[in-house]
Amino acid sequence: VQLQASGGGLVQAGDALRLSCAVSGRTSSRYDLGWFRQAPGKEREFVAAIRRIGGHTYYADSVKGRFTISRDNAWNTMYLQMNNLKPEDTAVYYCAMNAGGILSSIRLSGEYDYWGKGTQVTVSS
C-alpha cells in the first residue's frame, strides 16, 4: 500500500486549497482513509476520514463546515477540500489508511497502518 499527498502551498487567510492523496494497493476491501495534520511543536491530530464501506465521513470539530473529504469513484484518489482557511490550519498534512476499518479507531492516528509523506499547508494572516 502506498499513499502520496499533494496540493499543499502558501495561501492567505480565507483562501481555499484542495489536497489530493493518491492511493495504490489494498490489503482488504474494508478500510478507512484519513487526513491528519501536524503543526510545529504539536502532536499529529485528526482532520477528517472517510469509510470504504458506506462512504461515511467524519471531521474534527475545528474543520467541520470548512473542510470536505471525498474520493473518486475507484477509490484511487482521496481529496480534502479546504475552504476559508485560517492561520491555525497551518501544518503538514498527511493522508493515511486504516486497514482494519474499525469505526472506534477512525480518529486515532496510532490505528492507521499506512502513511504518505506529508504536504505543507501554510496560511498567512
Side-chain angles (χ1 to χ4, degrees):
V1 177
Q2 291 187 328
L3 301 99
Q4 179 62 56
S6 61
L10 172 62
V11 297
Q12 293 186 331
D15 285 351
L17 204 59
R18 188 173 83 156
L19 304 183
S20 298
C21 176
V23 182
S24 61
R26 307 284 189 278
T27 58
S28 74
S29 61
R30 192 178 194 92
Y31 57 86
D32 300 324
L33 295 175
W35 287 99
F36 290 79
R37 66 187 183 186
Q38 188 167 18
K42 295 188 177 181
E43 293 187 353
R44 189 170 298 186
E45 65 174 0
F46 170 78
V47 176
I50 186 167
R51 309 209 76 197
R52 177 63 180 87
I53 303 298
H56 300 291
T57 58
Y58 302 84
Y59 297 93
D61 288 343
S62 59
V63 306
K64 200 173 294 183
R66 299 188 298 122
F67 291 12
T68 303
I69 189 172
S70 63
R71 52 26 174 226
D72 67 359
N73 288 338
W75 287 84
N76 289 331
T77 306
M78 175 177 63
Y79 304 99
L80 185 67
Q81 177 66 42
M82 305 185 294
N83 297 331
N84 189 23
L85 282 160
K86 303 176 180 181
E88 51 264 41
D89 294 318
T90 294
V92 177
Y93 283 71
Y94 299 89
C95 57
M97 177 186 289
N98 180 334
I102 300 173
L103 179 58
S104 61
S105 63
I106 200 167
R107 298 171 184 266
L108 304 176
S109 62
E111 297 296 323
Y112 281 71
D113 306 283
Y114 304 98
W115 292 82
K117 293 181 180 180
T119 185
Q120 175 72 47
V121 173
T122 303
V123 185
S124 63
S125 56

PDB file of all heavy atoms in Angstrom, residues 25-60:
ATOM      1  N   GLY A  25      -2.630   0.072  -4.036  1.00  0.00           N
ATOM      2  CA  GLY A  25      -2.551  -1.143  -3.220  1.00  0.00           C
ATOM      3  C   GLY A  25      -3.645  -1.180  -2.174  1.00  0.00           C
ATOM      4  O   GLY A  25      -4.100  -0.161  -1.685  1.00  0.00           O
ATOM      5  N   ARG A  26      -4.082  -2.357  -1.864  1.00  0.00           N
ATOM      6  CA  ARG A  26      -5.103  -2.556  -0.839  1.00  0.00           C
ATOM      7  C   ARG A  26      -4.771  -3.842  -0.093  1.00  0.00           C
ATOM      8  O   ARG A  26      -4.264  -4.783  -0.674  1.00  0.00           O
ATOM      9  CB  ARG A  26      -6.507  -2.694  -1.438  1.00  0.00           C
ATOM     10  CG  ARG A  26      -6.947  -1.597  -2.381  1.00  0.00           C
ATOM     11  CD  ARG A  26      -7.326  -0.325  -1.671  1.00  0.00           C
ATOM     12  NE  ARG A  26      -7.938   0.631  -2.593  1.00  0.00           N
ATOM     13  CZ  ARG A  26      -7.295   1.433  -3.406  1.00  0.00           C
ATOM     14  NH1 ARG A  26      -5.967   1.398  -3.428  1.00  0.00           N
ATOM     15  NH2 ARG A  26      -7.939   2.268  -4.214  1.00  0.00           N
ATOM     16  N   THR A  27      -5.119  -3.907   1.157  1.00  0.00           N
ATOM     17  CA  THR A  27      -4.960  -5.148   1.895  1.00  0.00           C
ATOM     18  C   THR A  27      -6.292  -5.862   2.059  1.00  0.00           C
ATOM     19  O   THR A  27      -6.328  -7.050   2.334  1.00  0.00           O
ATOM     20  CB  THR A  27      -4.355  -4.886   3.278  1.00  0.00           C
ATOM     21  OG1 THR A  27      -5.213  -3.980   3.992  1.00  0.00           O
ATOM     22  CG2 THR A  27      -2.975  -4.272   3.151  1.00  0.00           C
ATOM     23  N   SER A  28      -7.361  -5.124   1.927  1.00  0.00           N
ATOM     24  CA  SER A  28      -8.697  -5.698   2.022  1.00  0.00           C
ATOM     25  C   SER A  28      -9.676  -4.694   1.429  1.00  0.00           C
ATOM     26  O   SER A  28      -9.278  -3.609   1.001  1.00  0.00           O
ATOM     27  CB  SER A  28      -9.073  -5.999   3.476  1.00  0.00           C
ATOM     28  OG  SER A  28      -9.363  -4.802   4.163  1.00  0.00           O
ATOM     29  N   SER A  29     -10.949  -5.038   1.416  1.00  0.00           N
ATOM     30  CA  SER A  29     -11.968  -4.116   0.922  1.00  0.00           C
ATOM     31  C   SER A  29     -12.573  -3.310   2.060  1.00  0.00           C
ATOM     32  O   SER A  29     -13.466  -2.502   1.850  1.00  0.00           O
ATOM     33  CB  SER A  29     -13.070  -4.896   0.206  1.00  0.00           C
ATOM     34  OG  SER A  29     -13.685  -5.804   1.108  1.00  0.00           O
ATOM     35  N   ARG A  30     -12.094  -3.516   3.274  1.00  0.00           N
ATOM     36  CA  ARG A  30     -12.655  -2.857   4.440  1.00  0.00           C
ATOM     37  C   ARG A  30     -11.575  -1.989   5.072  1.00  0.00           C
ATOM     38  O   ARG A  30     -10.743  -2.462   5.836  1.00  0.00           O
ATOM     39  CB  ARG A  30     -13.133  -3.905   5.445  1.00  0.00           C
ATOM     40  CG  ARG A  30     -13.984  -3.342   6.550  1.00  0.00           C
ATOM     41  CD  ARG A  30     -14.462  -4.457   7.486  1.00  0.00           C
ATOM     42  NE  ARG A  30     -15.537  -4.000   8.349  1.00  0.00           N
ATOM     43  CZ  ARG A  30     -16.807  -4.104   8.065  1.00  0.00           C
ATOM     44  NH1 ARG A  30     -17.165  -4.671   6.930  1.00  0.00           N
ATOM     45  NH2 ARG A  30     -17.717  -3.671   8.888  1.00  0.00           N
ATOM     46  N   TYR A  31     -11.560  -0.717   4.711  1.00  0.00           N
ATOM     47  CA  TYR A  31     -10.550   0.178   5.256  1.00  0.00           C
ATOM     48  C   TYR A  31     -11.112   1.588   5.356  1.00  0.00           C
ATOM     49  O   TYR A  31     -12.165   1.895   4.790  1.00  0.00           O
ATOM     50  CB  TYR A  31      -9.292   0.165   4.374  1.00  0.00           C
ATOM     51  CG  TYR A  31      -9.539   0.541   2.938  1.00  0.00           C
ATOM     52  CD1 TYR A  31      -9.542   1.871   2.532  1.00  0.00           C
ATOM     53  CD2 TYR A  31      -9.782  -0.435   1.972  1.00  0.00           C
ATOM     54  CE1 TYR A  31      -9.770   2.218   1.211  1.00  0.00           C
ATOM     55  CE2 TYR A  31     -10.016  -0.096   0.651  1.00  0.00           C
ATOM     56  CZ  TYR A  31     -10.011   1.230   0.270  1.00  0.00           C
ATOM     57  OH  TYR A  31     -10.254   1.568  -1.035  1.00  0.00           O
ATOM     58  N   ASP A  32     -10.423   2.412   6.089  1.00  0.00           N
ATOM     59  CA  ASP A  32     -10.768   3.825   6.193  1.00  0.00           C
ATOM     60  C   ASP A  32      -9.585   4.642   5.695  1.00  0.00           C
ATOM     61  O   ASP A  32      -8.427   4.258   5.875  1.00  0.00           O
ATOM     62  CB  ASP A  32     -11.064   4.220   7.643  1.00  0.00           C
ATOM     63  CG  ASP A  32     -12.230   3.437   8.226  1.00  0.00           C
ATOM     64  OD1 ASP A  32     -13.179   3.157   7.473  1.00  0.00           O
ATOM     65  OD2 ASP A  32     -12.170   3.114   9.425  1.00  0.00           O
ATOM     66  N   LEU A  33      -9.881   5.762   5.101  1.00  0.00           N
ATOM     67  CA  LEU A  33      -8.851   6.707   4.676  1.00  0.00           C
ATOM     68  C   LEU A  33      -9.005   7.987   5.476  1.00  0.00           C
ATOM     69  O   LEU A  33     -10.136   8.441   5.703  1.00  0.00           O
ATOM     70  CB  LEU A  33      -8.989   7.015   3.182  1.00  0.00           C
ATOM     71  CG  LEU A  33      -8.747   5.859   2.225  1.00  0.00           C
ATOM     72  CD1 LEU A  33      -9.052   6.286   0.796  1.00  0.00           C
ATOM     73  CD2 LEU A  33      -7.322   5.345   2.335  1.00  0.00           C
ATOM     74  N   GLY A  34      -7.895   8.541   5.886  1.00  0.00           N
ATOM     75  CA  GLY A  34      -7.984   9.728   6.718  1.00  0.00           C
ATOM     76  C   GLY A  34      -6.942  10.775   6.396  1.00  0.00           C
ATOM     77  O   GLY A  34      -5.930  10.490   5.741  1.00  0.00           O
ATOM     78  N   TRP A  35      -7.239  11.970   6.844  1.00  0.00           N
ATOM     79  CA  TRP A  35      -6.297  13.085   6.785  1.00  0.00           C
ATOM     80  C   TRP A  35      -5.947  13.481   8.220  1.00  0.00           C
ATOM     81  O   TRP A  35      -6.833  13.617   9.071  1.00  0.00           O
ATOM     82  CB  TRP A  35      -6.904  14.295   6.074  1.00  0.00           C
ATOM     83  CG  TRP A  35      -7.048  14.156   4.606  1.00  0.00           C
ATOM     84  CD1 TRP A  35      -8.169  13.818   3.912  1.00  0.00           C
ATOM     85  CD2 TRP A  35      -6.024  14.357   3.620  1.00  0.00           C
ATOM     86  NE1 TRP A  35      -7.912  13.794   2.572  1.00  0.00           N
ATOM     87  CE2 TRP A  35      -6.601  14.127   2.351  1.00  0.00           C
ATOM     88  CE3 TRP A  35      -4.674  14.724   3.679  1.00  0.00           C
ATOM     89  CZ2 TRP A  35      -5.877  14.238   1.155  1.00  0.00           C
ATOM     90  CZ3 TRP A  35      -3.956  14.831   2.502  1.00  0.00           C
ATOM     91  CH2 TRP A  35      -4.556  14.597   1.263  1.00  0.00           C
ATOM     92  N   PHE A  36      -4.678  13.681   8.441  1.00  0.00           N
ATOM     93  CA  PHE A  36      -4.185  14.171   9.717  1.00  0.00           C
ATOM     94  C   PHE A  36      -3.268  15.363   9.436  1.00  0.00           C
ATOM     95  O   PHE A  36      -2.819  15.553   8.306  1.00  0.00           O
ATOM     96  CB  PHE A  36      -3.398  13.078  10.452  1.00  0.00           C
ATOM     97  CG  PHE A  36      -4.259  11.956  10.944  1.00  0.00           C
ATOM     98  CD1 PHE A  36      -4.694  10.963  10.080  1.00  0.00           C
ATOM     99  CD2 PHE A  36      -4.644  11.897  12.266  1.00  0.00           C
ATOM    100  CE1 PHE A  36      -5.509   9.930  10.528  1.00  0.00           C
ATOM    101  CE2 PHE A  36      -5.449  10.865  12.731  1.00  0.00           C
ATOM    102  CZ  PHE A  36      -5.885   9.879  11.860  1.00  0.00           C
ATOM    103  N   ARG A  37      -2.994  16.131  10.464  1.00  0.00           N
ATOM    104  CA  ARG A  37      -2.071  17.253  10.292  1.00  0.00           C
ATOM    105  C   ARG A  37      -1.220  17.412  11.538  1.00  0.00           C
ATOM    106  O   ARG A  37      -1.615  17.016  12.639  1.00  0.00           O
ATOM    107  CB  ARG A  37      -2.819  18.548   9.998  1.00  0.00           C
ATOM    108  CG  ARG A  37      -3.692  19.057  11.127  1.00  0.00           C
ATOM    109  CD  ARG A  37      -4.514  20.260  10.653  1.00  0.00           C
ATOM    110  NE  ARG A  37      -5.320  20.815  11.723  1.00  0.00           N
ATOM    111  CZ  ARG A  37      -6.219  21.789  11.554  1.00  0.00           C
ATOM    112  NH1 ARG A  37      -6.416  22.307  10.323  1.00  0.00           N
ATOM    113  NH2 ARG A  37      -6.902  22.246  12.572  1.00  0.00           N
ATOM    114  N   GLN A  38      -0.050  17.996  11.325  1.00  0.00           N
ATOM    115  CA  GLN A  38       0.846  18.235  12.439  1.00  0.00           C
ATOM    116  C   GLN A  38       1.498  19.597  12.280  1.00  0.00           C
ATOM    117  O   GLN A  38       2.195  19.850  11.287  1.00  0.00           O
ATOM    118  CB  GLN A  38       1.918  17.142  12.529  1.00  0.00           C
ATOM    119  CG  GLN A  38       2.767  17.243  13.776  1.00  0.00           C
ATOM    120  CD  GLN A  38       3.594  15.995  14.012  1.00  0.00           C
ATOM    121  OE1 GLN A  38       3.803  15.175  13.111  1.00  0.00           O
ATOM    122  NE2 GLN A  38       4.062  15.822  15.237  1.00  0.00           N
ATOM    123  N   ALA A  39       1.228  20.457  13.237  1.00  0.00           N
ATOM    124  CA  ALA A  39       1.820  21.788  13.261  1.00  0.00           C
ATOM    125  C   ALA A  39       3.119  21.738  14.069  1.00  0.00           C
ATOM    126  O   ALA A  39       3.292  20.848  14.902  1.00  0.00           O
ATOM    127  CB  ALA A  39       0.843  22.783  13.887  1.00  0.00           C
ATOM    128  N   PRO A  40       4.021  22.674  13.846  1.00  0.00           N
ATOM    129  CA  PRO A  40       5.288  22.675  14.585  1.00  0.00           C
ATOM    130  C   PRO A  40       5.071  22.693  16.087  1.00  0.00           C
ATOM    131  O   PRO A  40       4.283  23.493  16.608  1.00  0.00           O
ATOM    132  CB  PRO A  40       5.951  23.974  14.109  1.00  0.00           C
ATOM    133  CG  PRO A  40       5.376  24.228  12.769  1.00  0.00           C
ATOM    134  CD  PRO A  40       3.963  23.753  12.841  1.00  0.00           C
ATOM    135  N   GLY A  41       5.732  21.787  16.779  1.00  0.00           N
ATOM    136  CA  GLY A  41       5.636  21.735  18.223  1.00  0.00           C
ATOM    137  C   GLY A  41       4.375  21.106  18.769  1.00  0.00           C
ATOM    138  O   GLY A  41       4.154  21.096  19.982  1.00  0.00           O
ATOM    139  N   LYS A  42       3.539  20.590  17.882  1.00  0.00           N
ATOM    140  CA  LYS A  42       2.272  19.973  18.311  1.00  0.00           C
ATOM    141  C   LYS A  42       2.204  18.525  17.870  1.00  0.00           C
ATOM    142  O   LYS A  42       2.929  18.104  16.973  1.00  0.00           O
ATOM    143  CB  LYS A  42       1.094  20.756  17.748  1.00  0.00           C
ATOM    144  CG  LYS A  42       0.982  22.178  18.284  1.00  0.00           C
ATOM    145  CD  LYS A  42      -0.312  22.828  17.829  1.00  0.00           C
ATOM    146  CE  LYS A  42      -0.464  24.211  18.422  1.00  0.00           C
ATOM    147  NZ  LYS A  42      -1.741  24.849  17.996  1.00  0.00           N
ATOM    148  N   GLU A  43       1.309  17.794  18.498  1.00  0.00           N
ATOM    149  CA  GLU A  43       1.101  16.401  18.130  1.00  0.00           C
ATOM    150  C   GLU A  43       0.272  16.315  16.852  1.00  0.00           C
ATOM    151  O   GLU A  43      -0.487  17.230  16.514  1.00  0.00           O
ATOM    152  CB  GLU A  43       0.395  15.655  19.261  1.00  0.00           C
ATOM    153  CG  GLU A  43       1.237  15.512  20.519  1.00  0.00           C
ATOM    154  CD  GLU A  43       0.575  14.623  21.549  1.00  0.00           C
ATOM    155  OE1 GLU A  43      -0.584  14.230  21.334  1.00  0.00           O
ATOM    156  OE2 GLU A  43       1.206  14.326  22.568  1.00  0.00           O
ATOM    157  N   ARG A  44       0.423  15.207  16.172  1.00  0.00           N
ATOM    158  CA  ARG A  44      -0.384  14.971  14.980  1.00  0.00           C
ATOM    159  C   ARG A  44      -1.843  14.851  15.392  1.00  0.00           C
ATOM    160  O   ARG A  44      -2.171  14.180  16.386  1.00  0.00           O
ATOM    161  CB  ARG A  44       0.086  13.697  14.285  1.00  0.00           C
ATOM    162  CG  ARG A  44      -0.529  13.459  12.945  1.00  0.00           C
ATOM    163  CD  ARG A  44       0.173  12.320  12.223  1.00  0.00           C
ATOM    164  NE  ARG A  44       1.585  12.605  11.972  1.00  0.00           N
ATOM    165  CZ  ARG A  44       2.373  11.817  11.268  1.00  0.00           C
ATOM    166  NH1 ARG A  44       1.910  10.697  10.740  1.00  0.00           N
ATOM    167  NH2 ARG A  44       3.641  12.141  11.078  1.00  0.00           N
ATOM    168  N   GLU A  45      -2.731  15.496  14.654  1.00  0.00           N
ATOM    169  CA  GLU A  45      -4.144  15.483  15.014  1.00  0.00           C
ATOM    170  C   GLU A  45      -5.014  15.061  13.841  1.00  0.00           C
ATOM    171  O   GLU A  45      -4.677  15.285  12.673  1.00  0.00           O
ATOM    172  CB  GLU A  45      -4.595  16.865  15.513  1.00  0.00           C
ATOM    173  CG  GLU A  45      -4.544  17.968  14.482  1.00  0.00           C
ATOM    174  CD  GLU A  45      -5.149  19.275  14.994  1.00  0.00           C
ATOM    175  OE1 GLU A  45      -5.609  19.337  16.145  1.00  0.00           O
ATOM    176  OE2 GLU A  45      -5.161  20.245  14.215  1.00  0.00           O
ATOM    177  N   PHE A  46      -6.133  14.485  14.191  1.00  0.00           N
ATOM    178  CA  PHE A  46      -7.113  14.042  13.210  1.00  0.00           C
ATOM    179  C   PHE A  46      -7.779  15.239  12.548  1.00  0.00           C
ATOM    180  O   PHE A  46      -8.099  16.225  13.219  1.00  0.00           O
ATOM    181  CB  PHE A  46      -8.163  13.186  13.918  1.00  0.00           C
ATOM    182  CG  PHE A  46      -9.361  12.847  13.084  1.00  0.00           C
ATOM    183  CD1 PHE A  46      -9.292  11.857  12.120  1.00  0.00           C
ATOM    184  CD2 PHE A  46     -10.554  13.527  13.262  1.00  0.00           C
ATOM    185  CE1 PHE A  46     -10.402  11.542  11.355  1.00  0.00           C
ATOM    186  CE2 PHE A  46     -11.664  13.220  12.511  1.00  0.00           C
ATOM    187  CZ  PHE A  46     -11.586  12.220  11.553  1.00  0.00           C
ATOM    188  N   VAL A  47      -7.983  15.138  11.232  1.00  0.00           N
ATOM    189  CA  VAL A  47      -8.675  16.187  10.484  1.00  0.00           C
ATOM    190  C   VAL A  47      -9.999  15.658   9.926  1.00  0.00           C
ATOM    191  O   VAL A  47     -11.059  16.220  10.182  1.00  0.00           O
ATOM    192  CB  VAL A  47      -7.798  16.718   9.339  1.00  0.00           C
ATOM    193  CG1 VAL A  47      -8.573  17.737   8.498  1.00  0.00           C
ATOM    194  CG2 VAL A  47      -6.518  17.333   9.885  1.00  0.00           C
ATOM    195  N   ALA A  48      -9.932  14.572   9.165  1.00  0.00           N
ATOM    196  CA  ALA A  48     -11.139  14.031   8.531  1.00  0.00           C
ATOM    197  C   ALA A  48     -10.869  12.600   8.101  1.00  0.00           C
ATOM    198  O   ALA A  48      -9.715  12.199   7.938  1.00  0.00           O
ATOM    199  CB  ALA A  48     -11.538  14.878   7.324  1.00  0.00           C
ATOM    200  N   ALA A  49     -11.941  11.844   7.915  1.00  0.00           N
ATOM    201  CA  ALA A  49     -11.810  10.469   7.459  1.00  0.00           C
ATOM    202  C   ALA A  49     -13.041  10.071   6.674  1.00  0.00           C
ATOM    203  O   ALA A  49     -14.126  10.653   6.844  1.00  0.00           O
ATOM    204  CB  ALA A  49     -11.596   9.519   8.636  1.00  0.00           C
ATOM    205  N   ILE A  50     -12.866   9.053   5.835  1.00  0.00           N
ATOM    206  CA  ILE A  50     -13.958   8.523   5.048  1.00  0.00           C
ATOM    207  C   ILE A  50     -13.864   7.000   5.050  1.00  0.00           C
ATOM    208  O   ILE A  50     -12.775   6.439   4.939  1.00  0.00           O
ATOM    209  CB  ILE A  50     -13.940   9.088   3.611  1.00  0.00           C
ATOM    210  CG1 ILE A  50     -15.170   8.647   2.833  1.00  0.00           C
ATOM    211  CG2 ILE A  50     -12.651   8.715   2.885  1.00  0.00           C
ATOM    212  CD1 ILE A  50     -15.375   9.433   1.523  1.00  0.00           C
ATOM    213  N   ARG A  51     -14.985   6.349   5.200  1.00  0.00           N
ATOM    214  CA  ARG A  51     -15.026   4.893   5.294  1.00  0.00           C
ATOM    215  C   ARG A  51     -15.235   4.261   3.921  1.00  0.00           C
ATOM    216  O   ARG A  51     -16.108   4.705   3.160  1.00  0.00           O
ATOM    217  CB  ARG A  51     -16.134   4.452   6.232  1.00  0.00           C
ATOM    218  CG  ARG A  51     -16.133   5.133   7.596  1.00  0.00           C
ATOM    219  CD  ARG A  51     -16.717   4.237   8.643  1.00  0.00           C
ATOM    220  NE  ARG A  51     -15.750   3.199   8.999  1.00  0.00           N
ATOM    221  CZ  ARG A  51     -16.071   2.081   9.642  1.00  0.00           C
ATOM    222  NH1 ARG A  51     -17.328   1.845   9.962  1.00  0.00           N
ATOM    223  NH2 ARG A  51     -15.143   1.193   9.953  1.00  0.00           N
ATOM    224  N   ARG A  52     -14.481   3.220   3.638  1.00  0.00           N
ATOM    225  CA  ARG A  52     -14.657   2.498   2.375  1.00  0.00           C
ATOM    226  C   ARG A  52     -16.039   1.865   2.313  1.00  0.00           C
ATOM    227  O   ARG A  52     -16.697   1.857   1.271  1.00  0.00           O
ATOM    228  CB  ARG A  52     -13.588   1.419   2.228  1.00  0.00           C
ATOM    229  CG  ARG A  52     -13.739   0.565   0.963  1.00  0.00           C
ATOM    230  CD  ARG A  52     -13.579   1.407  -0.276  1.00  0.00           C
ATOM    231  NE  ARG A  52     -13.703   0.635  -1.493  1.00  0.00           N
ATOM    232  CZ  ARG A  52     -14.853   0.377  -2.097  1.00  0.00           C
ATOM    233  NH1 ARG A  52     -16.000   0.827  -1.577  1.00  0.00           N
ATOM    234  NH2 ARG A  52     -14.868  -0.331  -3.191  1.00  0.00           N
ATOM    235  N   ILE A  53     -16.477   1.284   3.428  1.00  0.00           N
ATOM    236  CA  ILE A  53     -17.797   0.665   3.500  1.00  0.00           C
ATOM    237  C   ILE A  53     -18.810   1.750   3.877  1.00  0.00           C
ATOM    238  O   ILE A  53     -18.784   2.287   4.980  1.00  0.00           O
ATOM    239  CB  ILE A  53     -17.847  -0.466   4.536  1.00  0.00           C
ATOM    240  CG1 ILE A  53     -16.785  -1.526   4.223  1.00  0.00           C
ATOM    241  CG2 ILE A  53     -19.245  -1.082   4.582  1.00  0.00           C
ATOM    242  CD1 ILE A  53     -16.974  -2.203   2.888  1.00  0.00           C
ATOM    243  N   GLY A  54     -19.641   2.114   2.958  1.00  0.00           N
ATOM    244  CA  GLY A  54     -20.697   3.086   3.233  1.00  0.00           C
ATOM    245  C   GLY A  54     -20.344   4.515   2.900  1.00  0.00           C
ATOM    246  O   GLY A  54     -21.222   5.355   2.705  1.00  0.00           O
ATOM    247  N   GLY A  55     -19.045   4.834   2.850  1.00  0.00           N
ATOM    248  CA  GLY A  55     -18.623   6.182   2.477  1.00  0.00           C
ATOM    249  C   GLY A  55     -18.919   7.252   3.499  1.00  0.00           C
ATOM    250  O   GLY A  55     -18.894   8.443   3.179  1.00  0.00           O
ATOM    251  N   HIS A  56     -19.191   6.878   4.737  1.00  0.00           N
ATOM    252  CA  HIS A  56     -19.477   7.880   5.760  1.00  0.00           C
ATOM    253  C   HIS A  56     -18.235   8.707   6.043  1.00  0.00           C
ATOM    254  O   HIS A  56     -17.112   8.220   5.971  1.00  0.00           O
ATOM    255  CB  HIS A  56     -19.954   7.197   7.036  1.00  0.00           C
ATOM    256  CG  HIS A  56     -21.193   6.392   6.828  1.00  0.00           C
ATOM    257  ND1 HIS A  56     -22.417   6.953   6.555  1.00  0.00           N
ATOM    258  CD2 HIS A  56     -21.399   5.051   6.847  1.00  0.00           C
ATOM    259  CE1 HIS A  56     -23.317   6.002   6.416  1.00  0.00           C
ATOM    260  NE2 HIS A  56     -22.728   4.837   6.580  1.00  0.00           N
ATOM    261  N   THR A  57     -18.468   9.976   6.366  1.00  0.00           N
ATOM    262  CA  THR A  57     -17.366  10.904   6.609  1.00  0.00           C
ATOM    263  C   THR A  57     -17.381  11.419   8.045  1.00  0.00           C
ATOM    264  O   THR A  57     -18.445  11.497   8.675  1.00  0.00           O
ATOM    265  CB  THR A  57     -17.424  12.085   5.636  1.00  0.00           C
ATOM    266  OG1 THR A  57     -18.686  12.749   5.781  1.00  0.00           O
ATOM    267  CG2 THR A  57     -17.265  11.617   4.198  1.00  0.00           C
ATOM    268  N   TYR A  58     -16.208  11.781   8.525  1.00  0.00           N
ATOM    269  CA  TYR A  58     -16.044  12.239   9.901  1.00  0.00           C
ATOM    270  C   TYR A  58     -15.059  13.408   9.888  1.00  0.00           C
ATOM    271  O   TYR A  58     -14.103  13.405   9.116  1.00  0.00           O
ATOM    272  CB  TYR A  58     -15.513  11.103  10.778  1.00  0.00           C
ATOM    273  CG  TYR A  58     -16.411   9.902  10.758  1.00  0.00           C
ATOM    274  CD1 TYR A  58     -16.320   8.957   9.740  1.00  0.00           C
ATOM    275  CD2 TYR A  58     -17.385   9.718  11.736  1.00  0.00           C
ATOM    276  CE1 TYR A  58     -17.162   7.865   9.683  1.00  0.00           C
ATOM    277  CE2 TYR A  58     -18.233   8.623  11.701  1.00  0.00           C
ATOM    278  CZ  TYR A  58     -18.116   7.701  10.672  1.00  0.00           C
ATOM    279  OH  TYR A  58     -18.962   6.631  10.622  1.00  0.00           O
ATOM    280  N   TYR A  59     -15.296  14.365  10.759  1.00  0.00           N
ATOM    281  CA  TYR A  59     -14.468  15.560  10.788  1.00  0.00           C
ATOM    282  C   TYR A  59     -14.112  15.967  12.213  1.00  0.00           C
ATOM    283  O   TYR A  59     -14.886  15.749  13.150  1.00  0.00           O
ATOM    284  CB  TYR A  59     -15.213  16.741  10.136  1.00  0.00           C
ATOM    285  CG  TYR A  59     -15.512  16.540   8.679  1.00  0.00           C
ATOM    286  CD1 TYR A  59     -16.727  15.999   8.265  1.00  0.00           C
ATOM    287  CD2 TYR A  59     -14.570  16.884   7.705  1.00  0.00           C
ATOM    288  CE1 TYR A  59     -17.001  15.805   6.918  1.00  0.00           C
ATOM    289  CE2 TYR A  59     -14.836  16.701   6.352  1.00  0.00           C
ATOM    290  CZ  TYR A  59     -16.050  16.155   5.983  1.00  0.00           C
ATOM    291  OH  TYR A  59     -16.310  15.967   4.648  1.00  0.00           O
ATOM    292  N   ALA A  60     -12.955  16.589  12.340  1.00  0.00           N
ATOM    293  CA  ALA A  60     -12.618  17.243  13.596  1.00  0.00           C
ATOM    294  C   ALA A  60     -13.496  18.478  13.744  1.00  0.00           C
ATOM    295  O   ALA A  60     -13.850  19.116  12.744  1.00  0.00           O
ATOM    296  CB  ALA A  60     -11.143  17.639  13.610  1.00  0.00           C
TER     297      ALA A  60
END
